[in-house]
Amino acid sequence: MNVSISTVHLDLGAGRRGTDMGPSAIHVAGLVPRLERLGHSIDGVESFDVESAEGANRAEHGEHNARFLPVIAELCARIADKTEQDCEAGRFPLVLGGDHAQAIGTISGLARFYKKRGQRIGGVWVDAHTDMNTPDSSPSGNIHGMPLAAL
């Protein structure tokens, strides 16, 4: 199988810093060599980065009930495009990250790909939280807790 890896260095959706380091930890643990030993070929590794919360200007912070929404929405649009392109090229899109907000882009890209073919997708969401808050129901305003509602 041809695998295209996208690493998403994002932690703006969460209430704490650090989830952006998840993809790096997975790579340090030997992801690529292990996939190759299983017989997969790696067609590329693309990194998606965003500015840190400290570096973001005030407009990028968004509303208090949907923190950093403009930045996260733009990033998720890029992830969706890349995921859809990978599928169209016959590659398996492997999207790595730690901030649940990135799922908005990943699943949107998959849904667009399969919708064009008249097919539906399903998913299994495994998490300690439901991640289906909205800006109106979120106690924190963290997008990290809203991906299912957005989808």
Side-chain angles (χ1 to χ4, degrees):
M1 177 182 310
N2 294 335
V3 178
S4 175
I5 300 173
S6 297
T7 59
V8 182
H9 301 281
L10 174 68
D11 67 1
L12 295 178
R16 294 186 180 173
R17 302 296 313 270
T19 59
D20 60 327
M21 297 185 289
S24 297
I26 294 168
H27 280 287
V28 168
L31 173 69
V32 171
R34 288 179 186 194
L35 287 173
E36 290 173 337
R37 279 196 305 270
L38 291 171
H40 304 293
S41 64
I42 307 303
D43 284 354
V45 178
E46 184 171 337
S47 182
F48 289 86
D49 299 300
V50 296
E51 219 173 326
S52 70
E54 294 81 13
N57 68 46
R58 194 71 204 139
E60 293 172 326
H61 285 226
E63 300 297 322
H64 76 283
N65 62 342
R67 299 174 59 242
F68 298 103
L69 180 59
V71 177
I72 293 168
E74 188 276 329
L75 174 67
C76 286
R78 290 181 13 227
I79 294 168
D81 290 345
K82 175 73 165 70
T83 301
E84 183 179 17
Q85 291 165 6
D86 284 340
C87 290
E88 287 172 351
R91 295 184 295 260
F92 180 87
L94 178 57
V95 184
L96 305 174
D99 188 327
H100 306 179
Q102 77 182 42
I104 298 166
T106 305
I107 296 172
S108 293
L110 290 169
R112 285 193 320 223
F113 173 77
Y114 286 104
K115 184 176 182 179
K116 287 179 186 177
R117 286 148 187 78
Q119 297 175 309
R120 296 174 53 169
I121 67 168
V124 177
W125 194 272
V126 179
D127 192 344
H129 309 96
T130 57
D131 289 343
M132 60 184 182
N133 280 312
T134 66
D136 291 334
S137 68
S138 173
S140 67
N142 294 332
I143 305 297
H144 184 89
M146 302 180 195
L148 284 175
L151 290 165

